[in-house]
Amino acid sequence: MRMDDTPRYDRRAASRVLAGLAHPGLFATPIAVPSTRHIEYTGAALRPEPGSHLTYSQRLYLQQFMRPCQPAQVTSATHRIAWTDSDGVPNTGHFRADGLGPLVPIAVRETVLVLWHALAANSALMQRVGDLGPREHAVLDGTTTDHDPIEIFRVGIEATGRALAQHALLARQTPYRSAAEFARGIHDSGIFSGVATRWFWELQASTYRRGMIPVTLAAQPDGTVRYTADTVATLRAMKDTTIEDAHTVMRRATRVEGMSTDAAIAKYHDDLDLISRQYALLPASTRPACLAAMPHHLGGGHYTLLPLVVDKFVEIFEQLTERVRITEVSVELDELIADAPASAEDRIFYVPDMSCQHCVRTITGVLETMGIKVIDIDLPSKRVVAEFRSPRNRARAFESLRDGGYNPVTEKPARTTVAQTRSQPTESTV
């Protein structure tokens, strides 16, 4: 690698690389949307701490990483669900009983899969990625966590889905009365852009995994919704606090301990709580910007990647809410989440919340700090293979992962499905 190809942290340059790849057509070919999909799910009520509307995991994350947000500013899900998507991958999600129900997270996941498959089928995009030079790869390697452009696009699509499913916890604060109407209303209100510009990355991923959202919406006379002024101020304060915390760690490591930047990030990765590159490397007085939200001048005009992804996501989601049929089965969710293996030879489990290389590193770190050897982690299937010493060791590892906001599941045999089911309509009222 030449000297000028050394990995470097440059968010605008990384954004331009991605925009250049997407501009000729990220979803250039017609996207096939399945006519009907039937998905079974299991559900269980969340258990808040006594005298609170938050669970232990929610409160812990709030106290450690959401300063100065207060519990009263957070809305929590009432239920957690588990299901296997149409690609055969286990998933978990959340919903509120007084909202749009479990259809939103399930249809969101199916929308993600449709768009992921569309990426994989775009041969022209794959060719453009293959034609990238060392400098472009160096910028992505130095700036992003998922270095491969296709993986970055996949994570962006999944983040769009997270934003939609998470804001569905606030459906009662909106005038929208169906899943499709809600998605269109959130789109027209500019909420997706608000998440990209106002939230910090780890806040969205971690609060989503825990079934919580630190936001209040206010309905507008024109039928749209907006973040309240209090929400905007709190999100800004949380982001500023997070940036300062990351810079404090880096200043101590580089100036007091005399470490290089790479060594500091490697040593203090846990302290930086997965936000090392995004915020620890930001120049002083610089506010971070979402790579997809940055505008560029391409093809003789202005181009921004975010609207392209959001427009297509909402379009496909609206179609799928009419075509996905969901049924609740009576298997207890705790059997799926907390089931210990019958023997120490059972090494395979799944982490449905695992969505990017941040998650892979975190899960690996949790297990390895417990002396558990990680044999393999496959991100697309969310499959983990690890060497547990005993069923008790595995159960404790699962508890540690849950404390970090992840929900490991074990694959259940078909015989656990209960025949008596209750059908869920495709749209529920708020």
Side-chain angles (χ1 to χ4, degrees), residues 10 19 26 31 44 99 116 151 177 191-192 215 225 244 280 287 329 349 356 359 365 383:
D10 188 333
L26 190 61
I31 297 178
W116 279 1
E151 288 303 312
R177 293 297 179 263
I191 297 300
F192 290 102
V215 163
V225 294
E244 180 54 34
R287 297 190 62 78
V329 295
F349 67 98
C356 67
C359 301
R383 178 176 178 266

Side-chain angles (χ1 to χ4, degrees), residues 39-175:
I39 295 176
E40 295 182 343
Y41 70 94
T42 58
L46 294 185
R47 299 185 179 93
E49 292 186 302
S52 173
H53 66 293
L54 302 179
T55 66
Y56 169 77
S57 177
Q58 290 171 343
R59 177 180 60 81
L60 200 62
Y61 186 77
L62 174 73
Q63 292 176 343
Q64 292 182 334
F65 302 112
M66 293 173 64
R67 301 186 313 275
C69 186
Q70 298 300 308
Q73 296 174 284
V74 176
T75 295
S76 171
T78 60
H79 291 74
R80 184 175 63 217
I81 60 173
W83 75 96
T84 298
D85 63 36
S86 58
D87 271 13
V89 178
N91 287 267
T92 59
H94 297 87
F95 71 92
R96 283 191 62 85
D98 59 1
L100 296 170
L103 175 63
V104 173
I106 293 174
V108 157
R109 175 61 183 177
E110 293 302 304
T111 304
V112 167
L113 294 179
V114 167
L115 295 181
W116 279 1
H117 295 161
L119 284 182
N122 190 336
S123 58
L125 172 64
M126 296 299 179
Q127 182 62 52
R128 293 195 296 273
V129 171
D131 291 340
L132 285 181
R135 291 189 180 185
E136 288 84 2
H137 281 295
V139 168
L140 296 179
D141 290 349
T143 306
T144 63
T145 303
D146 297 274
H147 304 325
D148 178 76
I150 298 300
E151 288 303 312
I152 296 172
F153 289 136
R154 282 167 58 95
V155 170
I157 290 169
E158 192 162 28
T160 303
R162 282 201 304 261
L164 180 57
Q166 191 172 24
H167 283 76
L169 299 177
L170 306 174
R172 287 189 64 85
Q173 300 175 11
T174 76

Side-chain angles (χ1 to χ4, degrees), residues 87-345:
D87 271 13
V89 178
N91 287 267
T92 59
H94 297 87
F95 71 92
R96 283 191 62 85
D98 59 1
L100 296 170
L103 175 63
V104 173
I106 293 174
V108 157
R109 175 61 183 177
E110 293 302 304
T111 304
V112 167
L113 294 179
V114 167
L115 295 181
W116 279 1
H117 295 161
L119 284 182
N122 190 336
S123 58
L125 172 64
M126 296 299 179
Q127 182 62 52
R128 293 195 296 273
V129 171
D131 291 340
L132 285 181
R135 291 189 180 185
E136 288 84 2
H137 281 295
V139 168
L140 296 179
D141 290 349
T143 306
T144 63
T145 303
D146 297 274
H147 304 325
D148 178 76
I150 298 300
E151 288 303 312
I152 296 172
F153 289 136
R154 282 167 58 95
V155 170
I157 290 169
E158 192 162 28
T160 303
R162 282 201 304 261
L164 180 57
Q166 191 172 24
H167 283 76
L169 299 177
L170 306 174
R172 287 189 64 85
Q173 300 175 11
T174 76
Y176 316 127
R177 293 297 179 263
S178 73
E181 184 183 3
F182 180 83
R184 179 55 56 184
I186 292 297
H187 171 279
D188 294 345
S189 299
I191 297 300
F192 290 102
S193 177
V195 173
T197 56
R198 298 188 185 280
W199 293 53
F200 62 86
W201 173 259
E202 179 62 13
L203 178 68
Q204 194 217 10
S206 289
T207 54
Y208 172 83
R209 291 196 302 267
R210 291 169 172 83
M212 59 194 293
I213 182 168
V215 163
T216 300
L217 297 174
Q220 304 298 301
D222 63 358
T224 61
V225 294
R226 295 286 187 273
Y227 284 168
T228 63
D230 182 60
T231 289
V232 172
T234 301
L235 288 172
R236 182 183 180 95
M238 283 192 287
K239 180 181 281 190
D240 288 344
T241 300
T242 302
I243 294 171
E244 180 54 34
D245 286 348
H247 282 175
T248 297
V249 171
M250 293 300 292
R251 283 196 298 267
R252 182 179 70 241
T254 57
R255 298 179 186 177
V256 178
E257 300 179 42
M259 302 174 68
S260 68
T261 298
D262 289 343
I265 290 176
K267 179 177 179 180
Y268 291 108
H269 179 263
D270 290 341
D271 299 64
L272 295 169
D273 190 46
L274 308 181
I275 55 175
S276 53
R277 286 191 181 275
Q278 283 81 354
Y279 293 154
L281 300 181
L282 278 175
S285 303
T286 301
R287 297 190 62 78
C290 170
L291 300 183
M294 292 183 182
H296 299 279
H297 191 77
L298 295 173
H302 293 287
Y303 178 81
T304 306
L305 178 56
L306 181 65
L308 170 68
V309 175
V310 169
D311 289 351
K312 186 58 66 175
F313 195 100
V314 171
E315 174 191 330
I316 301 300
F317 178 84
E318 288 177 308
Q319 297 179 52
L320 283 173
T321 58
E322 300 292 335
R323 304 179 186 187
V324 171
R325 298 294 182 267
I326 60 176
T327 302
E328 182 176 4
V329 295
S330 59
V331 177
E332 289 294 328
L333 183 65
D334 284 348
E335 292 183 38
L336 292 171
I337 300 297
D339 186 35
S343 84
E345 297 299 319

Side-chain angles (χ1 to χ4, degrees), residues 18-33:
L18 297 175
L21 292 171
H23 180 256
L26 190 61
F27 306 113
T29 58
I31 297 178
V33 180

